Amino acid sequence: MDNPGLMNRMEGSDAAAVQRALAGDRDAFRVLVDRHSRSLFRLAFRMTGNEHDAEEVVQETFLRAYRRLSKFESRANFGTWLYRIGINCSLDFRRSRMRHEEHREPDDAEGNPAVQQLASEAPAPDRVVFSGQVGARVEQAMSELSDVERSAFVLRHFEGLSIEEIGKALGLRVSATKNSIFRAVQKLRRALEPMVSTTR
Amino acid sequence: MNHLNEEQLILYHYGEEAYREAAERRAASEHLAACDNCRASYAALQRVLAAVDAAPVPERAEEYGSEVWARLRPRLEGAPGKESLRGWNWWLAPQRWALAGAMAVLLIVAFFVGRVTREEPPTSAAISPQARERILMVAVGEHLERSQMVLVELSNAPSNGKVDISSEQHMASELVGENRLYRQTAMNAGEAGVASVLDELERVLVEVANSPSEVSSKQMESLRKRIESQGILFKVRVIGSEVRERAKPAQQDAAPQPAAEPAKKST
Ligand SMILES: [Zn+2]
């Protein structure tokens, strides 16, 4: 839980690598790629829920980052900046995968049949005791979150970013960020509680 | 202390807000220890979040960074610093292109006004009509590329909360003037297809230029819809690559090459 995230650890040396890259040092960008690829992949996977998409997101993210490198402000945190690009790339992928769902309202959980179905379909206790299934359930529940909810939750829960950092990454106010996390947790509870409460 | 509602429990769990303070955390912990209700809700929350952690995430090996780099490397041109001067950031730096753009516009307009107002192209200039067309195409191609950058940036902007679009807005307002000149020039030169895309582009650019520098998610969405509904980005891409294709000989060799004259557009 007390995961400081990649945000703070690498801050100083990232800034130096960016400076060197901008000064024309080709290998300096490689340092950034080496340093952030794995965590970026995890983020991309959690955002897209798909290994292949995640690989593509990683590529696209570094490509965009490379092209915009001089737009990066040296006072900012490179990891946060890269994550923001990664999140946008992930969202682009999600959008292109679910075009038909594009106009889903962010607050439609109540009327969302998929969520209700998921909850009512929660398997009997004996079937989840040894639970490879839990993972699949979670993935399905995660896929029912809106883009913003999923992004905010992933960044808070898995990446250990603070609400302020998430707000900055997503371009949200603190209150909106907080509400997105609340809604995400509520939806996850609704979907997963019937299952986990019986496993105890 | 009062009972903790779900939102407070979530904040407590993540050590956020009030619960960053040691005193607040302790107070909440003490309440949880003493209150069966809150303890039960918190346990339920923790179970769900623990289940979330059970979702498998495929790990990538240590050398994943090298794999990413190997795939990425051929897609990058030059060093990042250099690339950023030639690529995106170069286009986004208004001072740089304002000068280049303005000069190109003046040059082009001078040529085409010359061609339109006189019966004959100025013979003193060692520039053939084909070369002139290519110069126009190079300039329009660059203009379209810059416009495309702005539109892409906008359609990729975060879709929630307030978004600062001041740099895109500034770019757009500069591009509007340039666009107008190119559109007129293209019309005069009988380039109806180019002129019509520039006309559509101009409307979108004007809309962006007239937007507030900070837009709400709703305004952002309507701007995005506007860009998408016209298919303007697609048209700009298509005409842009066509235009760049036609500009090619001029980039390699500015001297007139009558034999290499590109086919006229049919639109
Ligand atoms: Zn209580």
Side-chain angles (χ1 to χ4, degrees), chain A residues 1 21-27 29-30 33-34 37-38 41-42 45-46 51 54-56 58-60 62-64 66-71 84 88 91-92 95 99 102-103 131 134-136 138-139 142 148 153 156-158 161-164 169-174 178-179 181-182 185-186 188-189 192-193 195-197 199-200, chain B residues 6-11 13-17 20 40-45 47-73 75-85 87-90 92 152-153 155-163 167-168 214 221 224-225 228:
Chain A
M1 242 311 296
L22 283 172
D25 179 352
R26 180 170 304 190
D27 285 335
F29 194 76
R30 182 183 184 156
V33 171
D34 273 336
S37 281
R38 294 174 78 200
F41 174 81
R42 279 194 296 275
F45 181 83
R46 282 177 172 133
E51 215 165 331
E55 300 256 9
E56 295 305 313
V58 169
Q59 284 287 318
E60 186 61 25
F62 280 118
L63 197 61
R64 287 189 196 179
Y66 187 89
R67 290 183 176 152
R68 298 183 202 178
L69 200 60
S70 60
K71 226 186 174 185
R84 182 176 179 154
N88 280 329
L91 295 179
D92 288 349
R95 282 192 202 110
R99 280 255 168 245
E102 199 169 83
H103 300 299
S131 52
V134 176
V138 171
E139 257 171 45
M142 291 281 289
V148 181
F153 178 77
R156 176 61 263 188
H157 185 78
F158 294 107
L161 267 66
S162 74
I163 287 174
E164 281 86 358
L170 298 180
L172 286 178
R173 291 213 181 112
V174 165
K178 228 167 31 179
N179 287 329
I181 294 170
F182 291 156
V185 173
Q186 279 155 9
L188 291 171
R189 276 188 92 155
L192 301 173
E193 210 153 41
M195 178 177 70
V196 293
S197 59
T199 59
R200 274 269 154 134
Chain B
E6 183 181 38
E7 299 186 348
Q8 288 171 313
L9 287 173
I10 293 170
L11 293 174
H13 178 80
Y14 289 124
E16 283 281 3
E17 308 232 309
R20 277 188 210 130
S41 327
Y42 189 49
L45 172 69
R47 276 200 299 277
V48 168
L49 293 177
V52 169
D53 287 328
V57 172
E59 265 299 316
R60 283 297 177 262
E62 279 293 337
E63 57 273 16
Y64 180 60
S66 306
E67 290 165 24
V68 172
W69 177 251
R71 262 188 78 194
L72 188 68
R73 183 68 195 83
R75 300 174 74 191
L76 309 175
E77 288 169 35
K82 252 189 180 170
E83 165 76 15
S84 66
L85 290 181
W88 185 277
N89 292 288
W90 187 86
L92 282 184
V152 167
E153 179 83 319
S155 40
N156 286 333
S159 54
N160 34 70
K162 287 248 176 206
V163 183
S167 75
E168 289 79 14
E214 207 186 49
E221 199 47 44
R224 212 196 310 270
K225 284 224 178 84
E228 280 170 10

Side-chain angles (χ1 to χ4, degrees), chain B residues 3-4 31 35 38:
Chain B
H3 293 303
L4 295 157
H31 178 82
C35 173
C38 287

Side-chain angles (χ1 to χ4, degrees), chain B:
Chain B
M1 179 173 185
N2 294 326
H3 293 303
L4 295 157
N5 63 28
E6 183 181 38
E7 299 186 348
Q8 288 171 313
L9 287 173
I10 293 170
L11 293 174
Y12 172 76
H13 178 80
Y14 289 124
E16 283 281 3
E17 308 232 309
Y19 305 106
R20 277 188 210 130
E21 310 294 327
E24 286 288 332
R25 283 198 70 78
R26 202 173 47 243
S29 306
E30 281 167 6
H31 178 82
L32 285 171
C35 173
D36 289 345
N37 272 342
C38 287
R39 197 166 57 249
S41 327
Y42 189 49
L45 172 69
Q46 285 180 306
R47 276 200 299 277
V48 168
L49 293 177
V52 169
D53 287 328
V57 172
E59 265 299 316
R60 283 297 177 262
E62 279 293 337
E63 57 273 16
Y64 180 60
S66 306
E67 290 165 24
V68 172
W69 177 251
R71 262 188 78 194
L72 188 68
R73 183 68 195 83
R75 300 174 74 191
L76 309 175
E77 288 169 35
K82 252 189 180 170
E83 165 76 15
S84 66
L85 290 181
R86 292 190 46 226
W88 185 277
N89 292 288
W90 187 86
W91 299 119
L92 282 184
Q95 329 74 290
R96 300 189 80 113
W97 61 258
L99 185 61
M103 280 171 66
V105 168
L106 286 177
L107 205 63
I108 299 307
V109 170
F111 283 142
F112 278 85
V113 167
R115 177 164 124 175
V116 169
T117 53
R118 300 174 205 188
E119 293 297 309
E120 297 283 313
T123 46
S124 60
I127 296 173
S128 67
Q130 303 95 291
R132 218 182 268 154
E133 183 198 90
R134 284 180 205 131
I135 293 170
L136 172 66
M137 290 304 139
V138 170
V140 170
E142 291 181 353
H143 169 76
L144 290 174
E145 197 165 331
R146 287 195 293 272
S147 305
Q148 190 183 323
M149 296 292 181
V150 174
L151 299 185
V152 167
E153 179 83 319
L154 285 173
S155 40
N156 286 333
S159 54
N160 34 70
K162 287 248 176 206
V163 183
D164 177 7
I165 61 161
S166 52
S167 75
E168 289 79 14
Q169 185 205 15
H170 182 70
M171 279 269 294
S173 57
E174 303 279 347
L175 286 166
V176 167
E178 203 177 299
N179 195 85
R180 200 165 288 144
L181 281 170
Y182 284 132
R183 179 169 52 79
Q184 281 157 5
T185 309
M187 242 151 58
N188 291 344
E191 296 282 353
V194 176
S196 122
V197 170
L198 287 173
D199 182 51
E200 282 185 56
L201 176 60
E202 202 167 304
R203 290 160 208 250
V204 177
L205 289 174
V206 165
E207 194 164 324
V208 174
N210 292 340
S211 299
S213 58
E214 207 186 49
V215 295
S216 69
S217 54
K218 236 185 200 136
Q219 290 168 310
M220 190 70 231
E221 199 47 44
S222 90
L223 207 53
R224 212 196 310 270
K225 284 224 178 84
R226 177 91 165 82
I227 292 171
E228 280 170 10
S229 72
Q230 308 283 321
I232 186 67
L233 199 44
F234 181 70
K235 287 179 198 162
V236 166
R237 271 188 191 128
V238 169
I239 203 101
S241 65
E242 194 176 311
V243 153
R244 273 188 294 279
E245 202 52 43
R246 291 166 67 187
K248 261 181 188 163
Q251 284 173 336
Q252 286 152 7
D253 185 357
Q257 294 175 344
E261 180 173 10
K264 281 271 181 219
K265 264 175 42 61
S266 54
T267 38

Side-chain angles (χ1 to χ4, degrees), chain A residues 138-158:
Chain A
V138 171
E139 257 171 45
Q140 200 180 338
M142 291 281 289
S143 75
E144 299 300 336
L145 303 179
S146 76
D147 286 345
V148 181
E149 290 158 3
R150 185 174 177 131
S151 311
F153 178 77
V154 163
L155 293 178
R156 176 61 263 188
H157 185 78
F158 294 107

